[in-house]
Amino acid sequence: NGAETTASEVFRQKGIAGVKELLESKGIKTSKYVLCTETAFKLTVGTLGATVIELPRDIAFSDGAVKYTFAAGKNTFTADLLLKLIKYGSTGDETSSVQALACSAVISRNFTIENFNKGSSFFSLLINPVETDITAFDYSEAAETIKAFILASPSIVPIG
């Protein structure tokens, strides 16, 4: 209807189908989805272990109850702190870069040949806590592409 809204609001009103419709109205084709709640995020990332992120600058934020301050350079984030960094660690135009930084760190730390070689057990670890229409068959079908992606990626993703 031309009104601005967020994907979260569309999801609350219309579910996954509404979000797919919103994305496709913007020219973004979707074939699969993953819905990761905060609980699922903390469970998955917590199982994977702490994530080291090299922050390009000092970051300070509050979650409403506690103030957090992280110095520029390498910082170790538990799943809970990583989620707080994603939610509260930036504002405005900077939000997506902090979120991308956090996601990039989790991916570069965990999408390794060692984990890939664990096969379906690694896939299950990632997929079981979330709501998705991605299946083990989809994963198997994409396995060689995933392996090529891992082998072509630098072991440390440069962030700047």
Side-chain angles (χ1 to χ4, degrees), residues 85-146:
L85 175 69
I86 290 169
K87 288 177 67 175
Y88 308 112
S90 58
T91 57
D93 293 339
E94 181 186 58
T95 301
S96 60
S97 65
V98 170
Q99 291 169 340
L101 174 68
C103 292
S104 176
V106 170
I107 290 169
S108 66
R109 178 188 183 281
N110 294 291
F111 278 71
T112 63
I113 285 299
E114 294 79 20
N115 282 338
F116 175 81
N117 288 337
K118 293 176 184 173
S120 62
S121 65
F122 184 66
F123 171 76
S124 295
L125 171 78
L126 296 176
I127 219 72
N128 284 344
V130 301
E131 179 185 325
T132 185
D133 60 353
I134 299 172
T135 66
F137 178 76
D138 295 324
Y139 176 77
S140 296
E141 218 174 41
E144 288 307 309
T145 302
I146 294 167

Side-chain angles (χ1 to χ4, degrees), residues 5-15 19 22:
T5 189
T6 65
S8 290
E9 186 59 32
V10 171
F11 176 74
R12 279 192 287 282
Q13 293 176 5
K14 298 181 180 181
V19 174
L22 171 68

